[in-house]
Amino acid sequence: MPYTFQAVKDMEKLADSSRLCNFIESFADYGNQFSLICGKIKALFGKPIYETENVENLFLYCILATSEEGEEVYVDIYCAGSGPAVGGIQDEKSGKAAKALVDYVWKAEPVNYTHKAYYLDGPVVLEFGIRDGAPYYNETELRISEEEFSELYARLS
């Protein structure tokens, strides 16, 4: 059942959303795949509803999936601690749309972008993106004072 996908800005459509599937199933070359999938999502759907510097709550898109038969279902693309994923209501209709969305995104060409985010459990700073079509992902230890860490934690929470 082919779908069309459109980003919408209505977060109310996502009230009962939970994870349906991940974009990245393997941790082999996770960093570059992470950067690549984020670039593909940006290419297809533009600016998210929100985007942060907290890798455990990095971005959110609400997506309207419409089947060939005209059936509509809302799913979301988000990035949390487990990486980029598709969420929605836990039913068969949403599951099919989510899997079709993952396939659709993986076929897209990524856009160039750069992003800096923090994973405070590490604590690490991540610099990732797409440069001249090539993904990059750099993770370095966050070396700051306890006071600076507390300020960063407060800002990202």
Side-chain angles (χ1 to χ4, degrees):
M1 179 186 303
Y3 293 85
T4 58
F5 300 100
Q6 175 185 351
V8 296
K9 298 295 182 189
D10 188 354
M11 286 181 57
E12 303 218 353
K13 301 288 185 187
L14 307 173
D16 295 325
S17 183
S18 61
R19 185 168 52 99
L20 296 171
C21 55
N22 290 330
F23 280 96
I24 303 169
E25 298 298 331
S26 166
F27 282 103
D29 194 32
Y30 178 82
N32 283 336
Q33 287 192 27
F34 178 92
S35 300
L36 189 60
I37 201 64
C38 291
K40 290 173 179 276
I41 293 166
K42 287 176 180 294
L44 291 170
F45 301 113
K47 289 186 145 211
I49 292 172
Y50 68 78
E51 187 169 38
T52 75
E53 292 180 309
N54 180 349
V55 79
E56 294 186 286
N57 186 26
L58 195 60
F59 57 77
L60 176 70
Y61 291 84
C62 180
I63 306 296
L64 170 60
T66 307
S67 73
E68 284 183 324
E69 294 79 25
E71 187 173 49
E72 295 183 342
V73 62
Y74 289 90
V75 293
D76 59 319
I77 300 175
Y78 66 94
C79 186
S82 61
V86 178
I89 296 171
Q90 294 289 323
D91 64 11
E92 185 178 350
K93 180 170 69 168
S94 298
K96 286 180 181 179
K99 287 183 174 116
L101 177 58
V102 168
D103 291 342
Y104 175 72
V105 170
W106 272 111
K107 292 175 184 171
E109 287 298 317
V111 294
N112 289 329
Y113 76 99
T114 183
H115 198 84
K116 182 177 182 178
Y118 300 91
Y119 178 62
L120 297 181
D121 289 351
V124 295
V125 60
L126 308 170
E127 295 183 63
F128 57 91
I130 305 284
R131 187 177 305 125
D132 298 326
Y136 68 93
Y137 181 94
N138 299 310
E139 187 175 305
T140 55
E141 183 179 348
L142 184 61
R143 296 178 183 263
I144 56 178
S145 70
E146 284 185 41
E147 181 180 327
E148 291 168 318
F149 183 85
S150 295
E151 289 172 6
L152 180 61
Y153 182 84
R155 184 168 59 93
L156 297 179
S157 297

